[in-house]
């Protein structure tokens, strides 16, 4: 029982860190092998104006990547069509930043693969774009209906002041103000998708797309599944 509580507590801390931290490196999701759970990312190309078309992963791709949850680094990299030469360790996030950008929807995104720092197993991947605040706000606003079309209605707490839909929230970011906004969706059986818009207060802002194992305190099945992955990794 103590081991289970420690595993759940570790994951909860990691998920909080994912909300607060920003990936530092550039990235490439690489041309994955046919069996790899890739999302159709292409190699880097110029993108003067962000465009949200075909940016998010479809549910089939998400389901494929759910099979990678709980895997160690070597197996995770292979599943994403990467090698250790393609990534750089980010100690702050306990993550591996991809060294070249990923292009999705005509936008170059920095990306990383995130690992539980205790069990050393994969649990999340993230894309990030940073630029002029008005552009970032427009990109995030365009991605909202795309996420809903793919994953269904948001699971964000209704009326939350941190939601991108909260009255006036996007305007503050467009004007260059500091803000941390996000909304959430269930993107798969075990995956929560989070769309973040962070106004940095200097006229720039970042958009982050986080796909993470959905450890929900109100859903014991997700916590049990995570513990199964931790225990399986420890047994290897």
């Amino acid at each position: 029982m103590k081991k289970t509580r420690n595993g759940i507590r570790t994951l909860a801390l990691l998920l909080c860190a994912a909300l607060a931290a920003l990936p530092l490196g550039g990235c490439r999701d690489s041309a994955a092998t046919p069996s790899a759970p890739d999302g159709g990312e292409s190699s880097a190309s110029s993108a003067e104006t962000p465009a949200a078309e075909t940016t998010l992963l479809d549910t089939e791709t998400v389901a494929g990547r759910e099979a990678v949850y709980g895997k160690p680094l070597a197996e995770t990299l292979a599943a994403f069509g990467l090698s250790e030469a393609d990534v750089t360790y980010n100690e702050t996030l306990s993550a591996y930043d991809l060294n070249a950008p990923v292009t999705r929807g005509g936008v170059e995104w920095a990306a990383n693969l995130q690992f539980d720092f205790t069990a050393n197993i994969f649990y999340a991947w993230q894309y990030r774009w940073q630029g002029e605040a008005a552009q970032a706000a427009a990109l995030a606003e365009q991605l909202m209906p795309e996420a809903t079309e793919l994953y269904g209605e948001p699971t964000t707490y209704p009326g939350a002041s941190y939601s991108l839909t909260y009255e006036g929230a996007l305007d503050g970011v467009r004007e260059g103000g500091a803000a941390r906004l996000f909304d959430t969706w269930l993107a798969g059986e075990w995956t929560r998708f989070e769309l973040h818009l962070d106004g940095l207060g200097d006229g720039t802002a970042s958009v982050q797309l986080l796909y993470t194992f959905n450890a929900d305190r109100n859903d014991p099945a997700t916590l049990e599944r995570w513990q199964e992955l931790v225990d399986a990794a420890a047994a290897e």
Side-chain angles (χ1 to χ4, degrees):
M1 180 64 69
K2 181 177 180 181
K3 180 179 179 182
T4 300
R5 287 197 300 267
N6 287 342
I8 293 171
R9 186 180 301 112
T10 297
L11 181 61
L13 290 172
L14 282 166
L15 296 180
C16 290
L19 292 176
L22 300 179
L24 303 179
C27 60
R28 178 176 62 87
D29 215 10
S30 174
T33 60
S35 60
D38 72 306
E41 290 87 348
S42 60
S43 58
S45 62
S46 62
E48 295 181 359
T49 302
E53 184 179 358
T54 65
T55 298
L56 304 181
L57 303 179
D58 60 39
T59 54
E60 182 178 354
T61 299
V62 171
R65 292 189 174 182
E66 288 184 326
V68 190
Y69 287 143
K71 302 298 183 184
L73 175 63
E75 291 182 44
T76 301
L77 291 177
F80 278 81
L82 301 167
S83 70
E84 290 195 31
D86 296 316
V87 296
T88 299
Y89 183 61
N90 181 332
E91 186 173 0
T92 301
L93 288 179
S94 186
Y96 286 84
D97 296 330
L98 278 66
N99 295 329
V102 171
T103 300
R104 295 198 62 83
V107 181
E108 289 184 4
W109 301 86
N112 64 37
L113 307 175
Q114 300 182 11
F115 290 77
D116 179 300
F117 59 77
T118 300
N120 294 317
I121 55 176
F122 172 70
Y123 77 95
W125 70 99
Q126 183 184 58
Y127 304 93
R128 178 175 181 264
W129 182 90
Q130 181 174 331
E132 195 271 330
Q135 277 189 309
L139 176 57
E141 189 173 28
Q142 292 169 19
L143 287 170
M144 289 282 293
E146 183 177 335
T148 298
E149 181 177 354
L150 285 169
Y151 312 134
E153 291 300 315
T155 55
T156 314
Y157 188 80
S161 61
Y162 54 77
S163 172
L164 279 77
T165 62
Y166 190 76
E167 185 175 359
L170 284 174
D171 291 336
V173 175
R174 288 191 187 96
E175 294 167 3
R180 303 199 70 169
L181 308 175
F182 70 95
D183 284 279
T184 61
W185 290 258
L186 290 179
E189 183 178 7
W190 305 111
T191 301
R192 182 175 69 250
F193 169 67
E194 300 176 1
L195 171 59
H196 292 253
L197 174 63
D198 289 353
L200 305 180
D202 60 359
T204 67
S206 67
V207 177
Q208 298 153 61
L209 316 176
L210 176 66
Y211 291 86
T212 181
F213 186 92
N214 182 44
D216 185 348
R217 296 179 185 177
N218 297 316
D219 184 358
T222 64
L223 302 182
E224 292 172 6
R225 176 56 180 160
W226 174 253
Q227 192 60 47
E228 289 173 358
L229 295 175
V230 171
D231 292 343
E236 291 183 356

